[in-house]
Amino acid sequence: TIRYATGQKAKADLLARYLKSGAIVTEDKTLRTVDLTLAVGADYSGVRAQPVPAAPGDTAAAPATTATSAPSGVPQPKGAPSQPSC
């Protein structure tokens, strides 16, 4: 479930397009310090590298984004911390 603050529907819709299993998108007028929240459950199946296209007739403007290298979504092991020498 994606809950979004007033005026943040476009962000919520964009996030939903990245989720492989989709999401219920609902406005939450109690959100004050964040734009949206995401709660995942047993049906969560991950995120896509690219969002699915917006539905025809979807007039919500997507928020501006900047090109950056996105993480792969898969945590990379960093190994054990080094042992201090005494």
Side-chain angles (χ1 to χ4, degrees), residues 1-4 12 16 19 21-27 37-39 43:
T1 301
I2 299 171
R3 297 179 191 273
Y4 63 91
L19 299 175
S21 57
I24 297 168
V25 178
T26 184
E27 184 176 15
T37 64
L38 171 64
D43 64 339

Side-chain angles (χ1 to χ4, degrees), residues 72-81:
S72 69
V74 178
Q76 298 299 315
K78 295 182 180 174

Side-chain angles (χ1 to χ4, degrees), residues 3-86:
R3 297 179 191 273
Y4 63 91
T6 302
Q8 304 302 321
K9 185 171 184 340
K11 291 178 183 179
D13 289 341
L14 178 61
L15 175 58
R17 291 175 29 222
Y18 273 96
L19 299 175
K20 290 181 180 178
S21 57
I24 297 168
V25 178
T26 184
E27 184 176 15
D28 184 342
K29 294 181 181 187
T30 66
L31 293 178
R32 300 280 184 239
T33 60
V34 296
D35 293 341
L36 53 89
T37 64
L38 171 64
V40 298
D43 64 339
Y44 176 74
S45 59
V47 295
R48 296 178 172 91
Q50 296 294 320
V52 296
D58 186 0
T59 58
T65 59
T66 56
T68 59
S69 60
S72 69
V74 178
Q76 298 299 315
K78 295 182 180 174
S82 61
Q83 295 295 323
S85 58
C86 296

